[in-house]
Amino acid sequence: MKHARPRYLESKRTVDARARSPRVRDRLLAELPDEPTILEAGCGTGATVPQLLSWGVDAGRYRGIDTDERIVSFAREVRPPALRRAGHTVTVAGTDRPVSRATASPPDFAVEDLSISFETGDALDALESAGSVDLVVAQSFADLVPLDRFVSAIESALRPGGLAYLPLTFDGGTIFQPDHPDDAAVERAYHAAIDDAPGRDVRAGRHLADKLRKRDGDLLAMASSDWVVRPQDGRYRADERYFLAQILGFVAGALSEAADAPEGFDSWLSTRWAQLDAGTLLYVAHQYDLLYRAQ
Ligand SMILES: C[S@@+](CC[C@H](N)C(=O)[O-])C[C@H]1O[C@@H](n2cnc3c(N)ncnc32)[C@H](O)[C@@H]1O
């Protein structure tokens, strides 16, 4: 995935936090055993770790897997000091030794009683060989991989009764405001370009729900978790102007190679850049949070 640069992933954290469904999260936390073993597919910059800690999941074992070596290095370097700054006790895993400056990016570390590693690798392979975990997490991930294999890999990773938490799964809705006459044509061409990429599914959210419902386990919860980025008084929160610039860049990149890009696309894009500069551009992506329990 070309665009998963650290700043993009970090810039979407405030957007993600607003979007995630509290109902699905509460059901997850109600079902989760103490000291769970957790495997995260496509962990990116490791942002799920502070999220889990803030939800009280502070014991057990967490492994985050991502194919992008640069992202994994970033997670290893940045997450321990950031967690320490947030007031957590961060130690070298298996010892009482604090993570010092000299070991600021250990491969394994622990926060309170949660032991943590970030690893470079293919998450589908990791799920298939994981054995028996309590929780699989995959956030903003399912639209990037072949869904049938992903669902089978989740099932093979989970112990009986284990959980899969799949938040922010894209489901084929890309909205920009104010209205522009070419919006529908641009959205159609953008989604077609995503769908044309091998293994990708622009409507991954609804298709994942369908596939999980046909399995032996239970789809315990499903809720919309749309990203909504809107300026207030011409300003975007946190690093969300950068996030939105990346989104426009993804649309531009996808349509630059698309055979069916609408004729007015260049003008549409200049209008959207100007609106971003002026702090008037609003963006919504339609997504679902899903929670599944294996039989
Ligand atoms: C959209 S990003 C989401 C990252 C993170 N889950 C988040 O929400 O911030 C998708 C991540 O999946 C990773 N990825 C894509 N395909 C993968 C695969 N087959 N195995 C592991 N990681 C993968 C990318 O490198 C990227 O970091």
Side-chain angles (χ1 to χ4, degrees):
M1 188 191 185
K2 274 189 254 160
H3 62 256
R5 289 185 299 278
R7 184 172 170 192
Y8 164 67
L9 295 181
E10 291 292 283
S11 72
K12 83 184 185 68
R13 289 178 65 185
T14 50
V15 186
D16 292 347
R18 285 198 301 278
R20 260 186 241 105
S21 160
R23 182 166 64 76
V24 178
R25 175 206 60 202
D26 288 350
R27 186 71 195 268
L28 163 70
L29 296 177
E31 299 282 335
L32 200 61
D34 292 340
E35 303 191 21
T37 49
I38 303 167
L39 182 59
E40 179 166 18
C43 64
T45 59
T48 294
V49 169
Q51 196 66 67
L52 288 169
L53 290 163
S54 76
W55 294 343
V57 182
D58 59 2
R61 170 89 179 100
Y62 165 96
R63 282 178 69 203
I65 317 282
D66 202 289
T67 41
D68 187 331
E69 207 175 327
R70 187 173 152 214
I71 297 273
V72 171
S73 301
F74 179 92
R76 285 177 174 162
E77 290 223 347
V78 166
R79 219 38 78 203
L83 289 163
R84 204 179 321 108
R85 279 197 303 277
H88 294 288
T89 305
V90 181
T91 51
V92 176
T95 75
D96 290 335
R97 206 151 36 90
V99 175
S100 68
R101 209 172 258 289
T103 54
S105 56
D108 291 286
F109 62 100
V111 179
E112 276 84 65
D113 294 318
L114 182 65
S115 110
I116 295 159
S117 65
F118 297 115
E119 303 165 30
T120 306
D122 185 278
L124 299 185
D125 291 346
L127 288 169
E128 283 162 356
S129 61
S132 166
V133 304
D134 295 311
L135 172 64
V136 169
V137 178
Q139 170 176 292
S140 301
F141 180 76
D143 61 310
L144 303 173
V145 290
L147 275 186
D148 282 325
R149 185 175 166 208
F150 181 46
V151 170
S152 299
I154 288 172
E155 291 271 33
S156 69
L158 291 176
R159 64 158 172 83
L163 302 164
Y165 176 53
L166 311 163
L168 310 176
T169 302
F170 187 52
D171 192 55
T174 303
I175 297 165
F176 294 97
Q177 285 288 294
D179 279 335
H180 184 287
D182 287 327
D183 281 340
V186 169
E187 185 188 34
R188 212 166 27 247
Y190 177 49
H191 291 172
I194 295 175
D195 259 343
D196 283 349
R200 295 206 57 185
D201 182 349
V202 84
R203 293 184 183 81
R206 72 192 72 175
H207 294 154
L208 190 54
D210 252 3
K211 287 179 193 301
L212 291 172
R213 280 171 351 135
K214 288 182 185 138
R215 292 280 169 156
D216 292 337
D218 296 309
L219 183 59
L220 294 180
M222 174 173 181
S224 317
S225 54
D226 294 357
W227 276 339
V228 179
V229 180
R230 69 187 173 92
Q232 283 169 296
D233 300 324
R235 300 171 74 87
Y236 294 92
R237 273 172 273 206
D239 204 16
E240 294 181 17
R241 177 187 292 276
Y242 179 85
F243 170 79
L244 216 37
Q246 295 297 296
I247 299 290
L248 286 181
F250 300 156
V251 177
L255 268 65
S256 69
E257 290 159 23
D260 58 349
E263 251 178 44
F265 178 64
D266 288 346
S267 157
W268 180 92
L269 191 59
S270 327
T271 303
R272 293 316 190 190
W273 282 122
Q275 289 167 340
L276 179 62
D277 282 347
T280 58
L281 183 64
L282 180 147
Y283 164 70
V284 177
H286 177 50
Q287 313 182 123
Y288 290 116
D289 287 5
L290 304 167
L291 179 67
Y292 175 77
R293 182 174 58 204
Q295 199 183 36

